[in-house]
Amino acid sequence: MNPPERPEQSRYVESLMRASLYQSPPDIERAVETRRQRQQILTKPDAPELWAVIDEAALLRIQREDVLKEQAEHLIEMAEGDNSVTLQVLPFASGMHAGLQGPFVILDFVPGVSPVVYLETDMDGLYLEEPEELDRYTRLFDHVRASARYPEASLQILKNLI
């Protein structure tokens, strides 16, 4: 039995969840729906700013051409859209870089409230709030951004994948 058709970019998330050993279809569905809802926030008029750096390895691990094409098109659309999304690709040519320890997110929601670092770990997440931890991850992000291609060149990398 074939899985149900998914909106664009959801097949990437589903593939990611299956590779991450999510066991049951309901767990996969829940993860896909959660990510879809999070993405919708970026299309609202008062959308938060998102600055993402994606390792080229993450893109090239997508083995199905149709899924890679959909994901690349979605990323291009988000980066070129009328929203606050900045996207950079960190190519293999950059060599060893500060982000090799794994993905992280710096969440900075409200002025006057300290940001939080979020580390996605298996099915759970870890939140870091100590000033030293925030400082460490802020510096890591600065180094990763400096190693990545500029946004315009990153868009070209994505377009070349299609």
Side-chain angles (χ1 to χ4, degrees):
M1 182 169 170
N2 292 332
E5 277 300 308
R6 299 217 175 272
E8 196 168 300
Q9 89 270 356
S10 294
R11 290 193 298 169
Y12 168 75
V13 175
E14 182 178 0
S15 298
L16 179 64
M17 294 301 112
R18 287 188 188 285
S20 300
L21 301 179
Y22 279 75
Q23 297 298 319
S24 71
D27 287 341
I28 294 170
E29 282 296 321
R30 192 170 31 260
V32 169
E33 184 56 30
T34 298
R35 288 189 181 212
R36 187 180 1 260
Q37 288 176 11
R38 281 193 326 209
Q39 287 178 5
Q40 288 176 352
I41 293 169
L42 296 174
T43 62
K44 293 183 178 184
D46 61 342
E49 180 181 346
L50 172 69
W51 193 312
V53 179
I54 301 172
D55 197 318
E56 185 178 23
L59 297 168
L60 297 179
R61 285 191 194 283
I62 304 172
Q63 295 176 330
R64 288 184 45 194
E65 275 189 44
D66 59 330
V67 176
L68 172 60
K69 182 178 184 232
E70 286 175 359
Q71 184 64 12
E73 287 172 347
H74 172 68
L75 293 171
I76 291 166
E77 180 182 328
M78 293 303 295
E80 290 182 336
D82 294 333
N83 51 33
S84 336
V85 175
T86 302
L87 181 66
Q88 290 182 269
V89 173
L90 185 59
F92 284 118
S94 294
M96 301 293 270
H97 58 81
L100 285 174
Q101 294 298 315
F104 60 93
V105 178
I106 300 172
L107 303 166
D108 190 3
F109 295 109
V110 181
V113 176
S114 294
V116 175
V117 174
Y118 173 71
L119 305 175
E120 192 167 319
T121 59
D122 296 328
M123 301 278 288
D124 300 320
L126 178 64
Y127 293 91
L128 307 176
E129 301 179 38
E130 295 299 322
E132 307 80 38
E133 296 166 330
L134 181 61
D135 183 56
R136 176 175 178 246
Y137 280 95
T138 300
R139 284 185 286 119
L140 278 172
F141 188 56
D142 289 343
H143 283 272
V144 169
R145 286 187 303 176
S147 297
R149 295 293 182 255
Y150 289 112
E152 298 79 20
S154 295
L155 282 173
Q156 191 57 54
I157 290 171
L158 291 168
K159 290 174 182 179
N160 290 344
L161 289 173
I162 299 171

